[in-house]
Amino acid sequence: MATTADIRNGLVINFNNDLFQVIEFQHVKPGKGAAFVRTKIRSLTSGKVLDNTFNSGVAIYPVRVERRSFQYLYKDETGYNFMDNETFDQISIPEKLVTAADLMKEGQVVEVLINTENDTPLTCELPSFVELVVTYAEPGIKGDTANNPRKAIEVETGARIMVPMFIEEGEKLRIDTRTYDYVERVK
């Protein structure tokens, strides 16, 4: 058992008979009244994101989880299939529990959160940045440079991303998996 003082990003807690992961939190001490913690938590079973406020000092129930490296193999009707890099065991994770799945390509190494109490996979997280090749990009319009114009492109995994006008087909880009933002071209 822990208190709200132990809340941090990435913490998995048992809340309302479900497992939730803390995405964001903020300790608030108003000038009048008791302190509280404002959180944004994501359900690890349904993927829904909730805004919740905990009063300061309230008991929370953390769940022991372990992060393991897995390699993405393929997608089928059961979900996404991964292989443990150490034991070569394969697991399947439902599509709703994989964040930024459309940025994941075969062979990509990801981190999977495993519930240590029953060895079940909870969620899959990509690295913060991935490098992908542009497969489709409309040509930029010459002279259209006012106000930082952007265009939609498609990368090798099928994801659509907004990028600056100078990006062309065949270029390799670094993409932020948390926000789907273009970061830079990769040589």
Side-chain angles (χ1 to χ4, degrees), residues 31 34 51 53 60 80 131 168-169:
D51 291 323
T53 302
I60 58 171
Y80 291 91
E131 295 177 0
E168 302 292 332
E169 276 186 35

Side-chain angles (χ1 to χ4, degrees), residues 4-186:
T4 55
D6 300 315
I7 290 179
R8 65 187 184 287
N9 289 341
L11 177 71
V12 177
I13 59 173
N14 191 340
F15 177 68
N16 288 347
N17 297 324
D18 196 2
L19 296 178
F20 286 89
Q21 183 177 25
V22 176
I23 300 170
E24 297 177 1
F25 73 98
Q26 178 182 17
H27 289 279
V28 178
K29 175 67 175 107
K32 187 176 187 181
F36 57 91
V37 180
R38 190 176 292 135
T39 62
K40 188 176 281 191
I41 53 179
R42 180 179 55 235
S43 171
L44 295 179
T45 55
S46 67
K48 291 183 179 177
V49 176
L50 302 174
D51 291 323
N52 191 51
T53 302
F54 294 98
N55 290 328
S56 185
V58 170
I60 58 171
Y61 303 95
V63 177
R64 289 183 50 101
V65 294
E66 191 175 281
R67 289 182 181 272
R68 294 187 195 158
S69 288
F70 280 77
Q71 182 178 13
Y72 170 57
L73 298 176
Y74 59 92
K75 180 185 178 197
D76 61 10
E77 64 277 349
T78 62
Y80 291 91
N81 294 285
F82 299 91
M83 178 183 66
D84 190 330
N85 288 338
E86 296 173 9
T87 64
F88 304 109
D89 293 335
Q90 290 188 15
I91 62 169
S92 180
I93 300 178
E95 187 170 352
K96 64 183 178 184
L97 298 181
V98 180
T99 56
D102 56 346
L103 292 178
M104 189 167 49
K105 62 182 179 179
E106 291 182 7
Q108 176 90 40
V109 176
V110 298
E111 283 195 343
V112 175
L113 261 65
I114 305 285
N115 186 346
T116 57
E117 294 173 9
N118 53 12
D119 266 355
T120 57
L122 299 174
T123 186
C124 166
E125 297 174 353
L126 268 71
S128 298
F129 301 98
V130 292
E131 295 177 0
L132 299 171
V133 175
V134 177
T135 56
Y136 174 75
E138 292 183 8
I141 300 167
K142 193 171 186 114
D144 189 9
T145 58
N147 300 329
N148 193 17
R150 301 178 85 66
K151 66 180 180 180
I153 56 127
E154 191 170 307
V155 293
E156 60 187 298
T157 59
R160 297 188 60 79
I161 297 165
M162 297 301 287
V163 298
M165 297 296 277
F166 57 82
I167 301 297
E168 302 292 332
E169 276 186 35
E171 290 185 303
K172 192 178 222 182
L173 306 179
R174 182 166 288 130
I175 309 292
D176 188 333
T177 59
R178 298 161 293 194
T179 60
Y180 281 66
D181 286 339
Y182 159 81
V183 177
E184 65 183 350
R185 289 191 277 193
V186 180

